[in-house]
Amino acid sequence: MEAKRVDCPNAERSGKVIDGPTNPMVTPLLTDLYQFTMCYAYWKAGKHNERAVFDLFFRKNPFGGEYTIFAGLEECIKFIANFKFTEEEISFIRSSLPPTCEDGFYDYLRGVDCSDVEVYAISEGTVVFPKVPLMRVEGPIAVVQLLETPFVNLVNYASLVATNAARHRFVAGKSKILLEFGLRRAQGPDGGIGASKYCYIGGFDATSNVAAGRLFGIPLRGTHSHAFISSFMSPDEIIDKSLRSSDGSRTCEDFVSLAQAWLNKIQWSCSFRGVFGETNQSELAAFTSYALAFPSKFLALVDTYDVMKSGIPNFCAVALALIDLGYKAVGIRLDSGDLAYLSCEARKFFCTIENEFGVSDFGKMNITASNDLNEETLDALNKQYARHLYLQSGKQTVFLNQTLSWMSCFHTQGHEVDAFGIGTNLVTCYAQAALGCVFKLVEINNQPRIKLSEDVSKVSIPCKKRCYRLFGREGYPLVDIMTGENEPPPKVAERILCRHPFNESKRAYVVPQHVEELLKCYWSGSSGKPREELPPLKSIRDGCMKQLEQMRPDHMRRLNPTPYKVSVSAKLYDFIHFLWLNEAPVGELQ
């Protein structure tokens, strides 16, 4: 998939060319049929140019948590900047609608673009909460209606997978490297590309997806699979055995023999005598061959045959041979077995090598773990590690034994994993299928509109709104508040009443120490209004990490997180309930 420049005047109105969407399938036809039937009905009734305001928002945070990461905005802006029907698309629409539809409608579609549309949005990568508009879209109602399905599509999965990634990052902690390995299990090419991009925003460090690396500049990581290891039968298969030293001063003519010599030294050293027997020689051949190809990037998958009896000794032999030539191996990857136990045993082996042979920092060799990992696995490993540290401190208590008894199936030594490669559960969002974004009309021709429901959670908040985040003394966000467009904004150090939109008893006064307006103009069409530039992906990621660090820990925790407060101003609260009563039919009893 490649971003394409579309011949459309919208894309240049801001003075800067905006490329088309990353996926070329994102066209004006990427929508539901009823958007076109409504569009025709608006046109037929002469309502198609009436000015409308829609809010895009969601009703519930995913994964049982209390926060969401907003993503997908850049693709939405690229879409509307290049929104234009081709003749082929208009012909298809004509064939899909009833033959009674008038020709004038198709002439109207030929002239449709987004020059009269304005988009106000929260910055991509921001931590967001239910009910607060992620995007406010203003423009001719028929045009904006055509944007509904593609906008919801572009935001839904992007925000869901970015949130999933952020949750994995929070559980893993700042010090661990997180690698997205999900391409082969993703829902098709678009799912794979999108997952790589939005997992990076959510806090992952790199991806295995080469196409995503090219498109978005995401760092790439990857070594080899079990197939590479098992494809070798013996060291005799290696034809070119020479390796030049890292400084270029000399050449080892038989690196294979050098690695074998180091294996013999390890096997018969005082520290390892009797620890392991003969290792798998085909595995040693594979490691040696890979080291010859990538001497400065040697990272070996060590669980093809037996981790501790073959994989680790063979890796160490090749790594020590590389050190003789001035190179430094990267580390190992574990893809099966008890990851906690094996990582600890591997670390002990590395530290023993460092002490036995006086090799500086060999004990700090990187250990990467993969194998169907998910948020729960990371959490269990970290709790196990915390338990290990606590026990080592000599402060074991009865309470600790009780609260951690569920982890008795694990070893008690903690873990030594430095990096996690996560795929299936991350990119497929296995724990939750969709975020559930909606796109609701809140105003038309300056008249506020409300959508009612017997389910209060589905009642929309009417009118064009401004949204603010209020911060407390400790620097944490306290509450998000929505106000009417013309209300004065909240001010620092001035008390403001924040009300739950629908629950009369839930209200609180807040004295903010800092106020941040959330909605900014990202597309101004032909209005001439200044708009925000789309930032580079790395800046979005950095902003997201900063946002997550600002959040109060109890809002972020996995189990029983504290709900973040979303409120409306007192004036907007009164208006919501006035409009509610005005629009709801009055029953009659007989």
Side-chain angles (χ1 to χ4, degrees):
M1 277 167 286
E2 186 80 56
K4 293 184 178 179
R5 175 75 176 88
V6 180
D7 185 16
C8 177
N10 290 342
E12 299 184 10
R13 277 211 167 86
S14 65
K16 188 173 183 181
V17 173
I18 299 177
D19 288 332
T22 301
N23 187 342
M25 290 190 295
V26 180
T27 71
L29 292 190
L30 187 72
T31 192
D32 296 302
L33 179 62
Y34 82 162
Q35 308 292 8
F36 284 109
T37 60
M38 284 190 287
C39 187
Y40 178 75
Y42 287 137
W43 178 85
K44 182 73 173 171
K47 285 176 62 70
H48 55 290
N49 285 325
E50 292 184 3
R51 193 77 178 172
V53 180
F54 286 78
D55 284 347
L56 188 154
F57 61 95
F58 62 97
R59 297 187 177 111
K60 187 177 181 180
N61 288 305
F63 309 114
E66 288 297 340
Y67 69 94
T68 300
I69 305 299
F70 173 44
L73 173 63
E74 179 185 31
E75 294 297 323
C76 290
I77 300 303
K78 286 182 174 182
F79 173 62
I80 62 171
N82 295 275
F83 189 95
K84 191 73 177 174
F85 288 101
T86 65
E87 282 301 320
E88 291 80 7
E89 289 169 338
I90 291 173
S91 294
F92 182 77
I93 296 166
R94 184 191 291 270
S95 69
S96 303
L97 293 178
T100 53
C101 291
E102 300 175 23
D103 291 342
F105 174 66
Y106 303 107
D107 292 333
Y108 161 72
L109 289 181
R110 288 185 179 91
V112 164
D113 60 23
C114 289
S115 57
D116 291 328
V117 173
E118 296 176 24
V119 175
Y120 297 80
I122 297 175
S123 298
E124 189 160 9
T126 299
V127 179
V128 292
F129 304 97
K131 291 289 187 183
V132 178
L134 307 179
M135 300 171 67
R136 187 179 79 218
V137 188
E138 307 175 21
I141 189 167
V143 178
V144 178
Q145 197 79 69
L146 292 173
L147 301 177
E148 174 181 1
T149 300
F151 272 19
V152 170
N153 177 272
L154 291 169
V155 170
N156 244 325
Y157 175 71
S159 299
L160 185 72
V161 75
T163 305
N164 202 17
R167 291 177 64 85
H168 281 76
R169 166 53 70 194
F170 180 78
V171 170
K174 295 180 185 178
S175 64
K176 303 300 179 186
I177 296 171
L178 293 183
L179 311 172
E180 179 268 308
F181 284 172
L183 177 59
R184 63 182 58 198
R185 303 286 171 77
Q187 286 95 337
D190 190 48
I193 293 290
S196 299
K197 177 180 181 179
Y198 298 118
C199 285
Y200 183 66
I201 286 177
F204 272 61
D205 298 289
T207 180
S208 64
N209 186 340
V210 179
R214 175 177 174 267
L215 285 170
F216 310 121
I218 302 171
L220 293 173
R221 287 287 188 90
T223 53
H224 54 252
S225 69
H226 294 106
F228 180 83
I229 305 298
S230 58
S231 71
F232 284 82
M233 301 296 289
S234 86
D236 296 335
E237 295 177 60
I238 301 174
I239 298 173
D240 184 0
K241 301 179 181 181
S242 65
L243 180 62
R244 197 170 181 81
S245 63
S246 63
D247 61 6
S249 62
R250 57 197 172 93
T251 299
C252 172
E253 298 298 338
D254 193 349
F255 183 76
V256 176
S257 295
L258 180 60
Q260 185 65 60
W262 267 111
L263 182 61
N264 293 334
K265 285 183 185 178
I266 295 169
Q267 190 171 12
W268 296 107
S269 66
C270 294
S271 299
F272 293 106
R273 192 168 297 162
V275 172
F276 64 93
E278 184 176 347
T279 65
N280 187 297
Q281 290 300 291
S282 64
E283 181 183 57
L284 179 62
F287 287 177
T288 305
S289 177
Y290 200 80
L292 284 166
F294 302 101
S296 60
K297 297 287 185 180
F298 178 55
L299 190 150
L301 179 60
V302 295
D303 67 339
T304 302
Y305 301 111
D306 187 291
V307 174
M308 297 311 302
K309 294 179 182 178
S310 183
I312 296 297
N314 281 337
F315 165 78
C316 289
V318 176
L320 289 167
L322 286 171
I323 288 172
D324 281 352
L325 296 175
Y327 298 102
K328 187 177 187 304
V330 176
I332 64 167
R333 178 162 73 93
L334 299 167
D335 193 49
S336 61
D338 186 331
L339 300 177
Y341 171 75
L342 291 173
S343 69
C344 290
E345 290 302 302
R347 183 71 69 204
K348 290 177 188 175
F349 205 106
F350 296 155
C351 290
T352 305
I353 290 283
E354 179 175 333
N355 294 329
E356 179 74 22
F357 299 105
V359 184
S360 177
D361 291 336
F362 200 93
K364 297 177 183 177
M365 198 71 70
N366 182 278
I367 298 174
T368 300
S370 47
N371 185 32
D372 229 15
L373 301 177
N374 58 30
E375 186 183 344
E376 289 183 11
T377 311
L378 298 184
D379 193 41
L381 285 169
N382 282 343
K383 285 177 178 175
Q384 182 179 344
Y385 184 61
R387 180 179 192 266
H388 167 60
L389 293 178
Y390 196 90
L391 293 176
Q392 279 192 330
S393 71
K395 297 177 181 178
Q396 182 177 2
T397 65
V398 173
F399 172 76
L400 182 69
N401 281 332
Q402 291 172 342
T403 55
L404 298 177
S405 62
W406 63 274
M407 292 191 333
S408 60
C409 59
F410 293 111
H411 296 270
T412 58
Q413 75 289 333
H415 77 86
E416 287 289 337
V417 178
D418 302 298
F420 294 98
I422 309 174
T424 305
N425 291 283
L426 175 68
V427 304
T428 65
C429 295
Y430 186 82
Q432 181 167 327
L435 177 59
C437 288
V438 293
F439 195 79
K440 296 299 179 184
L441 177 70
V442 295
E443 187 174 290
I444 187 162
N445 295 331
N446 297 315
Q447 296 300 309
R449 307 307 296 150
I450 189 170
K451 189 265 180 190
L452 300 180
S453 172
E454 291 183 5
D455 182 353
V456 175
S457 68
K458 292 191 174 183
V459 175
S460 63
I461 297 176
C463 78
K464 189 190 295 188
K465 297 173 288 293
R466 298 178 73 176
C467 306
Y468 304 90
R469 183 157 293 170
L470 310 184
F471 293 77
R473 289 195 191 96
E474 295 179 349
Y476 296 126
L478 294 176
V479 62
D480 285 5
I481 185 170
M482 292 173 271
T483 71
E485 183 192 23
N486 297 317
E487 287 189 58
K491 295 181 180 178
V492 171
E494 285 191 13
R495 192 170 73 158
I496 182 171
L497 179 62
C498 298
R499 303 202 62 168
H500 187 283
F502 309 118
N503 191 321
E504 187 175 10
S505 64
K506 290 186 177 181
R507 53 188 179 168
Y509 283 107
V510 176
V511 181
Q513 302 304 305
H514 172 64
V515 177
E516 182 179 311
E517 185 159 12
L518 295 176
L519 293 173
K520 302 170 185 174
C521 182
Y522 276 91
W523 179 255
S524 55
S526 58
S527 69
K529 295 178 182 177
R531 69 170 185 86
E532 302 289 320
E533 294 295 329
L534 294 172
L537 190 64
K538 181 66 165 57
S539 297
I540 296 173
R541 182 187 188 275
D542 292 344
C544 181
M545 295 302 96
K546 184 177 179 181
Q547 286 262 328
L548 291 167
E549 289 175 4
Q550 285 182 338
M551 296 305 299
R552 223 170 59 197
D554 58 311
H555 295 310
M556 307 292 293
R557 63 191 178 207
R558 283 191 72 243
L559 298 177
N560 302 316
T562 303
Y564 182 84
K565 294 178 176 60
V566 172
S567 67
V568 297
S569 65
K571 187 176 290 187
L572 182 54
Y573 175 88
D574 290 339
F575 182 73
I576 292 169
H577 291 267
F578 163 78
L579 195 60
W580 190 337
L581 292 175
N582 195 53
E583 295 291 342
V586 179
E588 183 174 321
L589 301 177
Q590 295 188 17

